[in-house]
Amino acid sequence: MEEPIIQARDLGICFAKGKQKKGRVKDLFVRRSANKKGAASDDFWPLRHVNFDIFPGDSVGVIGSNGTGKSTLLRLITGVLIPDEGYVRREGRVAPLIALSAGFSGDLTGRENVNLVGALHGMTNKEIKSKFDEIVDFSELEDFIDTPVKHYSSGMKVRLGFGVITQLPHPILLVDEALAVGDKAFKKKCHGVIDGLLKEGRTLVFVSHSAGELKRYCKRGIFLDAGQVITDGTVDEALDSYNESSEATAKRKAEKKKAEKAAEEARKAAEAPAAPPLPVEATT
């Protein structure tokens, strides 16, 4: 039986409200010790009791509303975040299309940053050199490749980052809203690159709010809500669950707003001063 390339078992991570999550080993032991004593009232779990297996060559869309733990899940898979409960295990390295300009040094040129980021992701000097022209051609930065990155626009940084990451030979591709930026021509190029990587047999975990993109790339969908896996099936099944949940949430909000309005009107009516009595006409 084929072994999963990514496996999550009872996966959970806890955040303290108003504090930045740390990934240091020291924090891991501090948090696990605190969890044994009981969670603080200002802690919340963006993900908890999450279980799934992803197999080589799978294309999985992670679906959910904002704040349901989609991006957090990708960061747990990469190892950027450390879980507080359970584990997530992967076989093979990850090519992360997440925060594409991360790792760039503003004082270094585009050329120097290609070498830096490529090396940080495990590419050898020979591999970087052989892929360099493709990276520059894709990013369309031939005239700026020797300019310090601090002078690049955000779009230029994203194009360069996308160009570097998609040249990584790693078997797992993680995409977090990477196609939500850039102009139409750039998005078309990105679609072509991802199509090519999937044909090579890469494993894809894809986060997007676009149903069209999810259906284009993904055969399977995982719908997250309230930090848990609600549906793990075809991408259509996951999208249907998401839409039903969104409609139910919108209905609850509308009903709550209506009840609050009625309560406010009743309160104002109760606090209104009583009308003065009508004058009594004298009789003879």
Side-chain angles (χ1 to χ4, degrees), residues 189-258:
K189 289 173 67 172
C190 293
H191 287 309
V193 169
I194 294 178
D195 285 336
L197 294 174
L198 291 177
K199 288 179 181 177
E200 293 176 6
R202 307 284 184 101
T203 301
L204 172 68
V205 183
F206 187 82
V207 170
S208 175
H209 284 99
S210 168
E213 288 180 350
L214 288 162
K215 290 182 179 181
R216 171 174 180 159
Y217 293 122
C218 304
K219 296 179 180 179
R220 177 178 162 196
I222 293 177
F223 167 46
L224 293 175
D225 192 25
Q228 296 185 345
V229 175
I230 305 301
T231 302
D232 184 352
T234 67
V235 69
D236 285 325
E237 289 170 343
L239 283 168
D240 287 344
S241 293
Y242 167 68
N243 290 330
E244 290 172 5
S245 175
S246 298
E247 290 172 1
T249 299
K251 184 177 180 181
R252 286 195 301 271
K253 287 181 177 179
E255 291 174 347
K256 182 180 178 182
K257 187 174 181 180
K258 183 178 179 180

Side-chain angles (χ1 to χ4, degrees), residues 21-42:
K21 189 68 172 177
K22 303 296 183 182
R24 299 175 301 177
V25 174
K26 174 184 176 182
D27 297 306
L28 171 65
F29 290 105
V30 171
R31 293 199 309 274
R32 287 193 182 272
S33 175
N35 289 339
K36 290 179 181 178
K37 298 176 183 178
S41 59
D42 62 345

Side-chain angles (χ1 to χ4, degrees), residues 4-238:
I5 194 170
I6 304 172
Q7 182 181 71
R9 289 291 180 271
D10 202 30
L11 179 64
I13 188 167
C14 182
F15 287 84
K17 293 181 180 178
K19 295 181 181 179
Q20 185 177 2
K21 189 68 172 177
K22 303 296 183 182
R24 299 175 301 177
V25 174
K26 174 184 176 182
D27 297 306
L28 171 65
F29 290 105
V30 171
R31 293 199 309 274
R32 287 193 182 272
S33 175
N35 289 339
K36 290 179 181 178
K37 298 176 183 178
S41 59
D42 62 345
D43 288 350
F44 72 100
W45 294 79
L47 292 170
R48 201 170 197 186
H49 307 309
V50 171
N51 296 278
F52 59 79
D53 290 327
I54 296 176
F55 294 90
D58 278 355
S59 52
V60 183
V62 182
I63 301 164
S65 302
N66 290 331
T68 53
K70 304 184 301 298
S71 298
T72 299
L73 178 60
L74 294 196
R75 283 159 175 75
L76 284 164
I77 293 173
T78 64
V80 172
L81 294 177
I82 300 172
D84 293 297
E85 291 181 348
Y87 67 85
V88 59
R89 181 180 297 133
R90 69 175 193 271
E91 298 295 331
R93 303 192 68 173
V94 171
L97 290 171
I98 303 171
L100 287 171
S101 60
F104 286 164
S105 171
D107 292 326
L108 299 181
T109 65
R111 183 185 303 275
E112 292 166 335
N113 272 289
V114 168
N115 286 279
L116 172 64
V117 175
L120 288 174
H121 285 285
M123 294 179 72
T124 65
N125 289 334
K126 184 178 180 180
E127 288 173 331
I128 296 172
K129 187 174 181 180
S130 67
K131 300 289 186 181
F132 184 82
D133 288 342
E134 291 181 55
I135 293 170
V136 176
D137 288 343
F138 178 86
S139 62
E140 301 175 356
L141 293 174
E142 296 90 343
D143 296 335
F144 304 95
I145 197 63
D146 291 308
T147 300
V149 165
K150 64 184 177 183
H151 299 305
Y152 284 16
S153 68
S154 57
M156 293 165 72
K157 293 177 185 177
V158 167
R159 294 205 306 271
L160 188 62
F162 196 102
V164 174
I165 298 302
T166 52
Q167 292 297 333
L168 299 176
H170 306 338
I172 302 171
L173 180 64
L174 304 182
V175 181
D176 186 4
E177 297 288 353
L179 306 184
V181 296
D183 56 24
K184 186 175 181 180
F186 173 71
K187 290 180 181 179
K188 185 177 180 180
K189 289 173 67 172
C190 293
H191 287 309
V193 169
I194 294 178
D195 285 336
L197 294 174
L198 291 177
K199 288 179 181 177
E200 293 176 6
R202 307 284 184 101
T203 301
L204 172 68
V205 183
F206 187 82
V207 170
S208 175
H209 284 99
S210 168
E213 288 180 350
L214 288 162
K215 290 182 179 181
R216 171 174 180 159
Y217 293 122
C218 304
K219 296 179 180 179
R220 177 178 162 196
I222 293 177
F223 167 46
L224 293 175
D225 192 25
Q228 296 185 345
V229 175
I230 305 301
T231 302
D232 184 352
T234 67
V235 69
D236 285 325
E237 289 170 343

